[in-house]
Amino acid sequence: QTKDRKYIREYSLSPPGARVAANFRGEIVTVPAEKGDVRNLTNSTEVHDRSPIWSPDGKSIAYFSDEGGEYQLRIVPQDGKGKVVTWKLPGAGYYEFPVWSPDSRNIAYVDNSRTLWWINVAGGVSKKVALDHFYGPVKTLWPAWSPDSRWIAYSVSNESYIQRVFVHSIESGKSFPVTDGLSNASDPKFDRSGKYLYFFSSTNAGPANNWFTLENEENQVTHSIWMAVL
């Protein structure tokens, strides 16, 4: 109902756009775009379930659940029928920014210590990608998968508190810099062909990145869209 919309915290569209998965008052539900029934996939009023994401193949929905006292990753069939898979996650307790790989085999996520991970949903093994050097109000480690699911792009602050863009190889476990740290680069995204990487870059963000002081309050940060050929 219209009055209940304010209780929706997060949502994720199904690949064809026919339904949407949502965190509704700590439950994971799916709602049809036009015709059909609302499905409650969790039915756990005593548990906080959140951050639903629909797999690219349309078969599954992943989310975080604190049943048992600590957050874990759960994967449930989108129709609510079948086995629910639960994986214990490493890192620091609270997790966010889950993103499926395009082949629906892996999920990248970030923990509360600002560490970026990815997990294989078949085996449940998580591997560390990168760690933010500083804790600040702006979260930067938003993962972006390449179309072939072999790379994760991300931006992270260096020791000078300037964001740099990296790409991480799933196969080798190594990260490679795309930007040199002379400009503040953020929010990388692959194009559909996988040949290009787009990101924002700013050459005057340095003073404003020092968020703890008010001396830079009037500094107006500007950004441009940059592209790297991969």
Side-chain angles (χ1 to χ4, degrees), residues 75 85 87 105-106 119-125:
I75 303 170
V85 177
W87 296 119
R105 295 180 179 180
N106 307 305
I119 183 172
N120 177 264
V121 299
V125 177

Side-chain angles (χ1 to χ4, degrees), residues 75-218:
I75 303 170
V76 61
Q78 64 85 19
D79 59 3
K81 303 175 182 178
K83 182 180 179 181
V84 178
V85 177
T86 302
W87 296 119
K88 184 178 179 179
L89 300 175
Y94 188 85
Y95 307 96
E96 54 190 339
F97 309 136
V99 182
W100 282 95
S101 60
D103 61 7
S104 299
R105 295 180 179 180
N106 307 305
I107 296 175
Y109 63 92
V110 181
D111 72 9
N112 201 41
S113 68
R114 304 289 176 85
T115 301
L116 174 61
W117 305 78
W118 69 273
I119 183 172
N120 177 264
V121 299
V125 177
S126 290
K127 295 185 178 181
K128 185 183 296 186
V129 175
L131 173 67
D132 205 341
H133 288 94
F134 300 100
Y135 188 91
V138 179
K139 299 179 180 180
T140 64
L141 279 171
W142 293 37
W145 287 93
S146 63
D148 61 7
S149 301
R150 297 173 58 191
W151 300 83
I152 298 174
Y154 63 93
S155 65
V156 63
S157 297
N158 61 17
E159 291 83 352
S160 299
Y161 214 21
I162 298 295
Q163 290 185 58
R164 297 181 67 187
V165 170
F166 290 81
V167 290
H168 179 83
S169 170
I170 296 301
E171 296 175 358
S172 70
K174 297 180 179 180
S175 292
F176 304 90
V178 176
T179 62
D180 56 13
L182 296 179
S183 62
N184 196 80
S186 63
D187 302 287
K189 295 291 185 293
F190 288 92
D191 81 313
R192 292 183 179 180
S193 70
K195 297 180 180 180
Y196 308 104
L197 188 69
Y198 294 94
F199 53 91
F200 292 118
S201 185
S202 173
T203 56
N204 70 339
N209 286 352
N210 184 13
W211 59 272
F212 195 69
T213 176
L214 296 178
E215 64 183 6
N216 305 312
E217 185 69 19
E218 296 182 357

Side-chain angles (χ1 to χ4, degrees), residues 30 39-42 59 61 76-84:
T30 70
R39 301 170 186 162
N40 189 332
L41 301 181
T42 51
K59 297 179 180 180
I61 294 172
V76 61
Q78 64 85 19
D79 59 3
K81 303 175 182 178
K83 182 180 179 181
V84 178

